[in-house]
Amino acid sequence: AWKHGRTWCNTICPVGTVLGFLSRYSLFKVRIDTAKCNGCGLCATKCKAACIHSKEHAIDYSRCVDCFDCLGACKQKALVYAPASKGQQRSSATEKQPVTTESSSVAADSSKRRFLLAGLATAGAAPTLLTKAQESIATMEGKKAYKKENPITPPGSVSQKRFQQHCTSCHLCVSKCPSHVLKPAFMEYGLGGVMQPTVSFEKGFCNFDCTVCSDVCPNGAIPPLTVEQKHLTQMGYVVFIEENCIVLTDGTSCGACSEHCPTQAIAMVPYKDGLTLPHVNTEICVGCGGCEYVCPARPFRAVYIEGNPVQKEAKPFKES
């Protein structure tokens, strides 16, 4: 790094690759006034990105990080940071690029960047394509796809509208949630609710006795909730899709959803050949997500929680 400058950032780091690609089209750039420049090379010696070719009066903008060390070093004031004038606009990344050793190294760097970009694009697209392929196969096998209509707001937040009005996206509830069911929303709430917490059961389910999110919320978006109130707060309700249940598709015994339901909103009833099938009671469901989290059916779960736009009070349940 002492000898060659930002070697890692310029040739290997994928973040530098993306930023370097975008910087080619930047409106404001460091530019060389050829009328003032005497080609002394002082600016090039100060450039940690090794992107200035003083003899050719050229700058490789894909490597420039706008540190401005060159501006202070130039005694002729030939370097300026300004938008391009009509006479200065160029279509390429460098203003001049004769065939030299430097230009060949830049070409090599560009090929590395293209390789990294292609690799990143492939790595990003592969999981999505694989998931779509699995879903297509599952659909052909008779399994039913579903889409949640309403996002789930944290328990006790009263309603989605009220929660969005009060929440400042401080993420205290997200960081303190012991079950890791709270995550920053992307577009679940729409454009106005980006980064506000929403409930997801991919990594866990909401503990039946937990009120941590309401305890740490600093501005009343999640009002304080007692354990007794939490037991009757319905942030969502369970939906059962019979076609996706492995009891039907694989002819095997399961019952995981019923075992993890704290209110017995899911009960197993006789089906056939000694097997039992889930039966749901949405009135006593609190939407804790235990059933959704443990359901083994893939790629479409047999049970999932649909959010309530306005949270309801669940009916008390009796253990039986």
Side-chain angles (χ1 to χ4, degrees):
W2 170 79
K3 185 176 181 181
H4 299 290
R6 300 162 58 89
T7 307
W8 172 274
C9 306
N10 292 337
T11 59
I12 301 172
C13 176
V15 176
T17 298
V18 174
L19 294 177
F21 176 78
L22 295 176
S23 68
R24 299 182 182 204
Y25 308 101
S26 175
L27 176 63
F28 283 83
K29 297 178 181 178
V30 176
R31 306 182 189 279
I32 300 176
D33 186 344
T34 55
K36 295 181 180 180
C37 180
N38 60 3
C40 68
L42 189 59
C43 56
T45 61
K46 294 292 184 180
C47 180
K48 292 296 183 182
C51 64
I52 299 178
H53 306 288
S54 56
K55 292 182 179 179
E56 292 83 20
H57 301 103
I59 299 176
D60 182 4
Y61 293 118
S62 67
R63 302 171 70 178
C64 178
V65 295
D66 291 338
C67 66
F68 306 136
D69 288 347
C70 56
L71 300 187
C74 182
K75 297 179 180 180
Q76 308 297 323
K77 304 300 180 183
L79 288 164
V80 294
Y81 183 68
S85 62
K86 293 183 179 180
Q88 289 177 318
Q89 290 177 347
R90 304 287 192 277
S91 59
S92 62
T94 56
E95 297 187 2
K96 294 180 181 179
Q97 201 62 274
V99 181
T100 62
T101 305
E102 290 87 349
S103 64
S104 63
S105 66
V106 171
D109 290 344
S110 298
S111 65
K112 291 178 182 178
R113 292 190 176 100
R114 287 195 296 271
F115 172 78
L116 284 171
L117 283 172
L120 287 171
T122 303
T128 303
L129 294 174
L130 183 61
T131 301
K132 288 184 177 180
Q134 291 175 337
E135 291 178 353
S136 299
I137 295 172
T139 303
M140 289 188 290
E141 292 176 349
K143 295 183 179 180
K144 186 177 179 180
Y146 62 87
K147 182 179 180 182
K148 295 185 179 183
E149 299 296 328
N150 300 302
I152 306 172
T153 56
S157 53
V158 183
S159 68
Q160 179 181 331
K161 182 178 180 180
R162 183 191 179 280
F163 177 70
Q164 286 191 260
Q165 288 175 342
H166 289 76
C167 179
T168 58
S169 303
C170 70
H171 291 183
L172 274 175
C173 58
V174 176
S175 62
K176 294 294 184 180
C177 178
S179 303
H180 306 292
V181 297
L182 295 177
K183 69 168 189 176
F186 179 52
M187 291 298 292
E188 287 89 338
Y189 298 133
L191 193 60
V194 174
M195 298 303 290
Q196 289 184 329
T198 186
V199 180
S200 171
F201 303 119
E202 291 293 327
K203 297 182 179 179
F205 56 91
C206 186
N207 192 307
F208 191 52
D209 297 324
C210 177
T211 60
V212 171
C213 57
S214 66
D215 295 338
V216 300
C217 182
N219 51 23
I222 310 174
L225 202 65
T226 65
V227 174
E228 292 73 21
Q229 290 173 324
K230 170 74 181 296
H231 287 175
L232 297 177
T233 299
Q234 188 187 78
M235 56 182 175
Y237 58 91
V238 62
V239 177
F240 173 55
I241 304 176
E242 188 174 296
E243 297 93 323
N244 297 346
C245 185
I246 63 171
V247 176
L248 276 80
T249 59
D250 299 346
T252 184
S253 178
C254 183
C257 54
S258 176
E259 292 173 6
H260 285 76
C261 180
T263 66
Q264 296 185 343
I266 301 180
M268 303 303 290
V269 297
Y271 173 52
K272 66 178 181 180
D273 300 330
L275 299 175
T276 55
L277 201 64
H279 173 75
V280 301
N281 181 358
T282 57
E283 291 184 345
I284 61 176
C285 177
V286 294
C288 70
C291 54
E292 179 178 334
Y293 173 65
V294 301
C295 180
R298 295 294 185 276
F300 308 121
R301 287 180 166 86
V303 287
Y304 70 93
I305 302 298
E306 179 64 52
N308 281 331
V310 178
Q311 295 187 357
K312 302 177 181 179
E313 183 178 347
K315 289 186 177 181
F317 66 95
K318 295 181 180 180
E319 293 191 15
S320 61

